[in-house]
Amino acid sequence: MATPRSAPSRPDALTLEVVELIGAVVARYHEEYEEAAAEHALTGAQARLLSLLSLEPLPMRRLAQRLKCEPSNVTGIVDRLEARGLVERRPDPADRRVKLAAATAEGRRVARGLQESLRFAREPLAGLSEQERVALRDALRRMLRPEG
């Protein structure tokens, strides 16, 4: 006989407000990210992929996992970025059967420009003390930590 599950507790008003505020921040971030991408004649997906590759070369499969899309989509995005000289494919030194996508010097320059043009949070964050920014960072890290 199955044991009945207790009904999930309803979130309190403060939790609901925080969730709404997080949603508003995410929406503004995406809106500004798309605008910054367009300024560089990139789609949002191209900009996100280029930003990832500016940190380190990655195999196509890992890019697909990070972008939460199909590997075939990543192939098309990499093709378009490669045609513009922003990304290159190279063999993985650890396994030459695997191809890595890597940002070129120009790709890294464009990725830096994208990050610098994301202004919406910069001024409000500058209005917080270092202690407040550290507390916010730490709270966000705790929220993003995998369960377990």
Side-chain angles (χ1 to χ4, degrees):
M1 182 173 181
T3 57
R5 290 186 174 175
S6 60
S9 61
R10 295 183 56 88
D12 61 273
L14 176 60
T15 298
L16 290 173
E17 182 180 6
V18 169
V19 168
E20 287 296 318
L21 289 169
I22 290 171
V25 167
V26 168
R28 285 202 39 206
Y29 176 83
H30 282 294
E31 181 181 312
E32 189 157 316
Y33 202 89
E34 293 289 330
E35 289 171 8
E39 288 174 16
H40 294 275
L42 297 169
T43 66
Q46 289 171 336
R48 284 186 291 281
L49 188 142
L50 187 59
S51 292
L52 285 172
L53 293 180
S54 71
L55 302 173
E56 64 178 327
L58 292 167
M60 306 290 262
R61 190 168 302 285
R62 177 111 21 95
L63 279 169
Q65 290 169 341
R66 294 230 181 127
L67 294 173
K68 298 186 182 357
C69 67
E70 293 297 317
S72 60
N73 291 348
V74 169
T75 299
I77 296 168
V78 169
D79 287 345
R80 288 184 285 286
L81 292 173
E82 190 173 36
R84 289 188 51 191
L86 302 175
V87 167
E88 63 185 9
R89 288 177 170 92
R90 57 173 83 140
D92 184 341
D95 183 349
R96 296 190 62 78
R97 296 169 297 174
V98 175
K99 289 286 188 194
L100 297 177
T104 62
E106 177 65 8
R108 287 188 297 277
R109 187 191 67 72
V110 170
R112 270 192 310 278
L114 279 163
Q115 287 301 320
E116 290 168 4
S117 63
L118 295 174
R119 297 176 281 283
F120 91 88
R122 196 170 295 145
E123 287 180 24
L125 285 172
L128 300 177
S129 70
E130 182 176 355
Q131 182 179 359
E132 289 170 320
R133 290 193 313 272
V134 167
L136 178 59
R137 180 203 61 201
D138 292 348
L140 292 170
R141 283 180 176 171
R142 278 195 314 273
M143 288 178 69
L144 294 171
R145 193 176 306 143
E147 294 181 31

